[in-house]
Amino acid sequence: MTATATPTGLKHVPVITAPEAAALVQSGQTLLVGGFGMTGNPVHLVHALAETDVRDLTYVANNVGEAGLSGGRLLRNGQLRKAIGSFFTSNREAVAAAQEGRLEVQLIPQGSLAEALRAGGAGIGGFYTPTAAGTVIAGDADVRVLNGREMVFVPALRGDVAFVRAWRADEAGNLQYRLTEQNFNRAMATAADLVVAEVEEIVPVGTIPPEGVHTPGLYVDYLVQATLTADALGSSADVKGSAKKVDEARMHMARRALAELRRGDVVNLGIGIPTLVADLITPEHGVNLHTENGMLGVGPAPEQGGALDYPVNAGKIPVTALPGASYFDSADSFGMIRGGHVDVAVMGGLQVDAHANLANWAVPGKPLLGVGGAMDLASGARRLIVLMTHTDPDGTPKVVPECTLPLTSRGAVSMIITDRAVFEFRDGTLTLTELMPGATLDEVRAGTGAPFVEAL
């Protein structure tokens, strides 16, 4: 089937079934799959592909679905040869496949992945970014100093076929996304030779107002109508499926981090302990929360409901939207981050050293499979606050003279808040400025590996 003209002169995009869409994919091709976790994921298209004998695919997505869902089903079937993405650890079976050599993986920071896809769709060969400079992720990439900053070259990404998910399409293929479902879908819809959009409903031309079109129909070759159910949303299906580790020490750290935020700040909260800060923020604080999967104006988690009802944050947890909130795609989101428009990033840490270097994404003996957006945020936010326990469970200090774990960023940390102390980097010097409730100076001295100045 080929596109025909509508009465308005716009093309009329053929509507096909999911099995017909799957038949468009050939063994050995590169497949782009939209979504962030299972939000905005074209799960019906991918599951139809899992019913075919197509093999040796290169699968490009933020992650390989969840165990048995979307790309996770292709993985179980042995249909994937390689996966390119930023966070494979959300699927334990992908981790096992990589460790056992059944799946080749290429790890790219989340913002670089989004921009590489956008560049691929725009006919740009690649770009230089400060993200990942000085880290193992940079590998043997070309590195240059531009505008006084070390930057890594990232080549553009394109695919043979893209499967994307939108909320609505009109008969001309114009797409409208819902809430945080833009994520990687918008860029991927531009970056493949053939694009199939899975949509909740197909409406007549003119139903979607021009200002409501997120992806113009010129990019879309086929439409598939498929109704999304909670079963397709995996861990995001209900907020009750998410578990936060909450104790008094962590809450002390979250409250101390909140005290650093100022009215009007745009703030990004990482996963783990930093997510607790969100539960403490009220409208009176005047803080605007940003989540890298495409939302500004994040509110608290709802008491019940899931991604069919609410947007999701970077932890794939359903959240609410405050008045004045906005949605955008992953490429725009990381443009905000790299462009210095995020005032504060609050992140977890595995190690911070005396030179303000952060390591928070990889440990020895484990595969390098999950960097997410940490490198982009650490190098792009105007101020970086790290929340972490003062020591490992065995008492090993996490504030160290030199990071021994793979770096997330160099020289970017402004403040460290642990369960025992608060440190700041003043004129480049690690400085103890405060003791946390119940902690003693002797405990802090004994549990800190790096030299520091005391300014209590």
Side-chain angles (χ1 to χ4, degrees):
M1 285 180 283
T2 58
T4 59
T6 68
T8 64
L10 298 175
K11 74 174 184 179
H12 186 284
V13 174
V15 179
I16 61 176
T17 66
E20 287 172 331
L24 299 170
V25 182
Q26 301 176 22
S27 293
Q29 288 190 322
T30 295
L31 176 68
L32 312 182
V33 178
F36 182 85
M38 297 306 298
T39 302
N41 192 292
V43 64
H44 298 88
L45 296 180
V46 181
H47 286 181
L49 185 59
E51 298 298 318
T52 71
D53 59 0
V54 169
R55 292 290 185 273
D56 297 322
L57 294 172
T58 295
Y59 186 91
V60 182
N62 187 54
N63 55 292
V64 187
E66 295 186 8
L69 277 177
S70 191
R73 189 167 296 186
L74 297 177
L75 178 66
R76 280 187 180 178
N77 291 348
Q79 293 173 273
L80 304 185
R81 178 185 63 82
K82 180 178 180 179
I84 300 174
S86 82
F87 201 74
F88 301 115
T89 52
S90 57
N91 185 342
R92 62 185 182 279
E93 294 179 3
V95 174
Q99 288 176 316
E100 295 163 10
R102 293 183 285 111
L103 179 69
E104 180 185 349
V105 297
Q106 180 182 344
L107 188 63
I108 303 178
Q110 193 175 124
S112 296
L113 176 64
E115 189 66 13
L117 290 162
R118 192 200 68 79
I124 297 170
F127 57 95
Y128 285 91
T129 175
T131 301
T135 76
V136 296
I137 290 289
D140 59 358
D142 182 34
V143 178
R144 299 189 182 186
V145 176
L146 302 173
N147 299 321
R149 298 190 71 182
E150 191 174 288
M151 297 199 180
V152 177
F153 181 76
V154 179
L157 265 175
R158 283 190 62 87
D160 297 295
V161 179
F163 284 171
V164 301
R165 169 85 191 182
W167 187 246
R168 292 201 299 176
D170 66 21
E171 294 164 338
N174 294 310
L175 303 182
Q176 183 178 44
Y177 303 98
R178 174 183 172 274
L179 307 178
T180 48
E181 293 174 0
Q182 294 185 47
N183 49 63
F184 285 90
N185 282 302
R186 271 182 51 193
M188 286 182 172
T190 72
D193 299 332
L194 188 148
V195 177
V196 183
E198 173 188 311
V199 298
E200 190 74 14
E201 62 175 336
I202 301 171
V203 298
V205 170
T207 304
I208 303 173
E211 66 272 18
V213 174
H214 298 123
T215 293
L218 68 88
Y219 292 111
V220 180
D221 297 292
Y222 296 96
L223 297 173
V224 173
Q225 190 279 323
T227 301
L228 195 65
T229 65
D231 292 340
L233 291 172
S235 60
S236 298
D238 196 300
V239 69
K240 294 178 180 177
S242 61
K244 291 183 180 179
K245 187 175 181 181
V246 180
D247 57 37
E248 193 56 31
R250 283 175 166 77
M251 292 309 301
H252 280 315
M253 295 160 65
R255 285 189 283 269
R256 183 61 186 83
L258 177 62
E260 292 298 313
L261 308 183
R262 301 289 177 260
R263 177 172 293 276
D265 278 350
V266 174
V267 179
N268 186 289
L269 301 176
I271 60 175
I273 300 174
T275 60
L276 300 176
V277 180
D279 296 332
L280 302 174
I281 293 175
T282 67
E284 288 70 32
H285 286 104
V287 172
N288 202 356
L289 291 183
H290 171 278
T291 180
E292 59 260 37
N293 57 303
M295 182 179 179
L296 192 62
V298 180
E303 293 185 5
Q304 59 184 10
L308 282 178
D309 313 293
Y310 297 99
V312 301
N313 64 14
K316 305 174 184 67
I317 298 170
V319 293
T320 55
L322 298 179
S326 57
Y327 302 110
F328 32 87
D329 77 336
S330 294
D332 281 347
S333 184
F334 281 95
M336 297 173 189
I337 293 166
R338 285 191 305 272
H341 305 292
V342 172
D343 296 294
V344 184
V346 184
M347 304 175 66
L350 297 173
Q351 288 180 335
V352 177
D353 69 20
H355 311 288
N357 299 322
L358 169 65
N360 80 340
W361 69 281
V363 296
K366 301 289 185 180
L368 305 180
L369 295 174
V371 65
M375 288 185 177
D376 304 275
L377 281 160
S379 64
R382 295 177 182 175
R383 189 169 183 229
L384 176 59
I385 300 174
V386 176
L387 272 60
M388 63 183 186
T389 56
H390 204 88
T391 66
D392 288 327
D394 64 0
T396 302
K398 295 171 73 170
V399 182
V400 295
E402 301 275 351
C403 285
T404 57
L405 300 178
L407 290 183
T408 303
S409 66
R410 295 183 303 181
V413 178
S414 304
M415 173 178 281
I416 310 166
I417 301 173
T418 77
D419 50 343
R420 297 182 188 175
V422 178
F423 293 93
E424 297 178 38
F425 285 90
R426 295 182 175 178
D427 297 324
T429 299
L430 181 67
T431 305
L432 174 66
T433 60
E434 190 176 328
L435 297 176
M436 293 294 281
T440 67
L441 184 56
D442 287 341
E443 287 176 335
V444 172
R445 288 170 176 165
T448 306
F452 59 89
V453 172
E454 296 176 10
L456 296 174

